[in-house]
């Protein structure tokens, strides 16, 4: 699984709100690094070497900020649908990770999850194409990203927008969606 020459780490305010939303503990970050996890502080995380796309995501909750590169078909998880016609094309890593997150959510590998996306196409178009009808927060300002390297230097002049997608807990989902709305509305506009 190749990574971009420089990948990024989530903004501290998003990690802070997510940690509070998960009652003080992020259990799993499936697409992380040692440096990124120094900020996220997940109990368990998978690095580039572990390739979280090939690992089991058994956890109460997950926080996912997918890599921003592109993945060839050979680097993407195999399609499990019998009648699915494989289309041979390179996909954005954010799309691949989002598709994998949805698949694992449907398999109940995790109870609830937060996915932070910086690809407008993935957040707004791919979610419609894949019928991912989950609560989403559109950040009210461009996210302050950090470069995934020791010292976490701040990225200057980011052009991306930020989106937070919530895969709700199936136990009392209306209450959790309302809590998502209350907490994340400080960061942007929530739609559900």
């Amino acid at each position: 699984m190749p990574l971009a020459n420089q990948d990024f780490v989530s903004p501290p305010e998003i990690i802070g709100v997510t940690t509070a939303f998960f009652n003080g503990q992020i259990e799993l970050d499936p697409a992380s690094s040692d440096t990124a996890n120094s900020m996220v502080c997940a109990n368990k995380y998978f690095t580039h070497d572990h390739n979280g796309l090939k690992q089991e995501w058994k956890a109460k909750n997950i926080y996912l900020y997918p890599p921003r590169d592109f993945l060839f078909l050979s680097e993407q998880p195999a399609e499990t649908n019998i009648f699915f016609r494989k289309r041979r094309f390179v996909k954005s890593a954010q799309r691949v990770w989002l598709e994998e997150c949805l698949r694992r959510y449907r398999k109940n590998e995790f109870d609830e999850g937060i996915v932070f996306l910086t690809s407008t196409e993935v957040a707004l178009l791919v979610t419609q194409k894949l019928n991912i009808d989950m609560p989403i927060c559109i950040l009210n300002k461009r996210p302050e990203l950090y470069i995934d390297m020791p010292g976490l230097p701040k990225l200057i002049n980011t052009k991306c927008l930020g989106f937070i997608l919530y895969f709700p807990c199936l136990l009392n989902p209306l209450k959790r969606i309302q809590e998502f709305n209350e907490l994340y509305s400080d960061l942007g506009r929530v739609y559900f």
Side-chain angles (χ1 to χ4, degrees):
M1 177 177 77
L3 290 176
N5 291 333
Q6 282 185 338
D7 220 342
F8 304 124
V9 177
S10 305
E13 62 272 11
I14 291 174
I15 294 168
V17 170
T18 301
T19 302
F21 182 65
F22 288 148
N23 296 315
Q25 186 172 327
I26 296 172
E27 284 203 12
L28 175 65
D29 183 351
S32 193
S33 69
D34 294 332
T35 307
N37 198 58
S38 69
M39 190 177 289
V40 176
C41 298
N43 291 346
K44 184 176 181 180
Y45 63 98
F46 301 127
T47 65
H48 167 69
D49 294 334
H50 297 120
N51 190 355
L53 291 171
K54 295 182 179 180
Q55 302 295 327
E56 192 173 75
W57 293 13
K58 288 285 184 194
K60 182 178 177 185
N61 63 58
I62 66 154
Y63 173 75
L64 172 63
Y65 177 25
R68 62 180 187 89
D69 211 354
F70 291 92
L71 298 177
F72 295 103
L73 187 63
S74 63
E75 299 162 327
Q76 299 171 25
E79 180 55 52
T80 56
N81 296 334
I82 295 172
F83 300 107
F84 185 79
R85 185 174 149 210
K86 290 186 178 179
R87 297 171 69 189
R88 304 251 178 228
F89 61 92
V90 174
K91 290 183 184 177
S92 104
Q94 290 206 348
R95 177 181 177 160
V96 171
W97 280 89
L98 180 62
E99 289 173 350
E100 188 65 10
C101 187
L102 177 63
R103 186 177 74 77
R104 289 166 184 262
Y105 176 71
R106 288 178 175 162
K107 286 176 50 180
N108 295 317
E109 280 195 33
F110 59 91
D111 295 340
E112 62 184 336
I114 294 290
V115 180
F116 173 55
L117 298 168
T118 53
S119 167
T120 304
E121 178 184 358
V122 172
L124 301 179
L125 298 177
V126 172
T127 53
Q128 289 181 24
K129 189 174 194 176
L130 298 175
N131 292 320
I132 299 175
D133 194 18
M134 305 289 182
I136 189 169
C137 174
I138 300 174
L139 298 182
N140 57 16
K141 64 179 185 169
R142 295 187 189 280
E144 294 181 358
L145 302 174
Y146 293 81
I147 300 170
D148 190 3
M149 61 188 317
L152 292 167
K154 192 173 182 179
L155 180 67
I156 306 213
N157 297 329
T158 180
K159 302 280 188 231
C160 64
L161 300 175
F163 306 88
I164 301 166
L165 192 64
Y166 175 49
F167 287 79
C169 181
L170 298 178
L171 297 172
N172 205 353
L174 296 177
K175 179 180 183 250
R176 288 301 282 159
I177 290 170
Q178 186 57 41
E179 290 170 354
F180 174 80
N181 180 38
E182 289 169 7
L183 277 173
Y184 288 87
S185 62
D186 289 340
L187 299 175
R189 180 164 287 189
V190 176
Y191 298 92
F192 56 95

